[in-house]
Structure formats: C-alpha cells, structure tokens
Amino acid sequence: MDIVQRFIFEELDVRGALVQLGPVWKQIKRDRDYPAAVETLLGEMAAVTTIIAANLKTPGRITFQLSGHGAVPLLVIDCSETLNLRGFAKSEGPIVGRSVGELLGDGRLLLSLDTKNAPQPYQSYVPLEGETIAEVFEHYLRQSEQAPAALFLAADGDNAAGLFLQKLPAADEKDPDGWRRVAGLAQTVTPGELLSLEAPVLLQRLFHEETLRLFEARTVSHDFLPDWEKVRATLRALGSAEIEAILAEHGEVVVRDDLSNHEYRFDADQARAIFKSPPPTLH
C-alpha cells in the first residue's frame, strides 16, 4: 500500500494512475475521530490530490482546499513533490447526509501550487460543482486541462484509493472508441476492489483486453516531525503579555498544527521559559 501506480494504454492516447493509501491514511487521521461521512470525504480527497501531485508536469507542492458553509466547512490536503502527504477536516454541528452539497453547502475549491522556479505560489479558485469528491475534481480537471477525465474514489477507516483516467489529444485518432471503452471498463470497479486489490492485479482485472504499460510505482509518505523550536518562536513573537493572558485563562498554552497532526502543550513554567532563553541566532 501507500503507492501511486501510473500507466498508459499503449495503443490508445489515454493515461491513468491508481493510488492506494493504507498506513499513510491512518497516520493522517490518527486521533481525529472524524464522523464516517467526513472520513470518507477526506480520504477520497487525499487519494485524488496524490494522483494529481504525481502527474504534475512541473513538480511542486500542491494544496487543495474545499471550503463551504455547511457542517463540514473545510477540507485540506497538502502533497509535496516527493508525495509527502498531510491533511485535515473541520466539522461543526451534526453531520447530516454524505454528499459534498449536503456537508459543505455552497463553496469553492482552492488550488495552491508552489514550484521551485515560481516567485510565488500559483492559486486558482473554482466553484464546487458535483455531489461527490470525484465529480468535483472531474469538473476541476476539465476546466484546468481541457481534457475529459474519469475518477473513481473510495475510502474507509483503513484505506483510501482512487483510479484516474484521462483522455489525451490524439485518442480519437488512434482509436475512436478507445476512450469510451476503457472509461466503461473503469466504471465496473467496486470500492472493495479499489481498497483491497494490489495495483497490478486490479489493473489486469479491469483492462485485461487492453495493452497497458506500467511505470515504476512511487511511494507515498506521511513524514512530518514535530517542530518545537518553530512553535516556541511563534509564541515568542506573540509576546509575554499575551502568553500570560492565555495562562491566566487556561492554565497552559496549547498550539494545534492541524495540517501535520501535531499538538504542542506548554505548562506555565515551560511557557515562561521561552522568554528566559535567548532565541537562536542565525549564521
């Protein structure tokens, strides 16, 4: 598990990718206690973000943010060019329904892409179109790449997975029926197959009559160590008066890094000690 398997149909101008997340998905949602519907949305979003990151023409860090005005106002997934993945969801109030419209309400999809050669991250906003994560991202891909795409996503408590197909410019010239045929075959995949079958086995089962070329699979990780010094620097910047006010109200200072899933706790002595030791110097 925790791989992205890219592939191409040799005799068609159609490309694809299959992502399967296991331990990485469990780490992302560790100790979160998301309701089942929220867990499904975030897992599917993790799968499709990983697919898009693995297929970027210019490698970089990509962040997708779904925001709305419903019981789930925010879903965020961030993936680096090395496929280091993290993310979180926010939910408020009772969770009713399972669709994007029911849970997020009207909202938008924000893409942020940070590449090494760009002076600042590229950002793009798209209104939410679709009732599933797959439909939302199919719409996004049609808008951004001007090419038909098909997505099939699944997620549960243990795994998240996604199958992606995209029709490329010369597809109709190579085989006028090719895109319809392979997209139809992909529609037969079940969530159970996506979540449990190894990538080569699943692709062979779905497309055994087509000629597939598999590229080397890439590993997905969730590797974000706690950064206590960065948090101390942030608290130092707030100033001792603000920290004393927080201690007076709560008895401790708690900093939550939702994206990397870390929590930093400082009791009164630890919080005050931040201002006694000099900040690190730069050389």
Side-chain angles (χ1 to χ4, degrees), residues 109 127 145 263:
L109 170 66
E145 301 193 13
E263 186 174 84

CSV table of all heavy atoms in Angstrom, one decimal, residues 109 127 145 263:
chain,number,residue,atom,x,y,z
A,109,LEU,N,-13.4,25.4,-4.5
A,109,LEU,CA,-12.2,24.6,-4.4
A,109,LEU,C,-11.0,25.6,-4.7
A,109,LEU,O,-11.0,26.3,-5.7
A,109,LEU,CB,-12.3,23.5,-5.5
A,109,LEU,CG,-11.0,22.7,-5.8
A,109,LEU,CD1,-10.6,21.9,-4.6
A,109,LEU,CD2,-11.2,21.8,-7.0
A,127,PRO,N,-15.6,27.2,-8.4
A,127,PRO,CA,-16.8,26.9,-7.6
A,127,PRO,C,-17.0,25.4,-7.5
A,127,PRO,O,-16.7,24.6,-8.4
A,127,PRO,CB,-18.0,27.5,-8.5
A,127,PRO,CG,-17.3,28.5,-9.3
A,127,PRO,CD,-15.9,28.0,-9.6
A,145,GLU,N,-7.5,21.5,-17.5
A,145,GLU,CA,-6.7,20.9,-18.5
A,145,GLU,C,-7.4,20.7,-19.8
A,145,GLU,O,-6.8,20.2,-20.8
A,145,GLU,CB,-6.2,19.5,-18.0
A,145,GLU,CG,-5.4,19.6,-16.7
A,145,GLU,CD,-4.6,18.4,-16.3
A,145,GLU,OE1,-4.5,17.5,-17.2
A,145,GLU,OE2,-4.1,18.3,-15.2
A,263,GLU,N,0.2,18.3,18.3
A,263,GLU,CA,-0.3,19.2,19.3
A,263,GLU,C,0.9,19.5,20.2
A,263,GLU,O,1.6,18.6,20.6
A,263,GLU,CB,-1.4,18.5,20.1
A,263,GLU,CG,-2.1,19.5,21.1
A,263,GLU,CD,-3.3,18.8,21.8
A,263,GLU,OE1,-3.1,18.1,22.7
A,263,GLU,OE2,-4.4,19.1,21.3
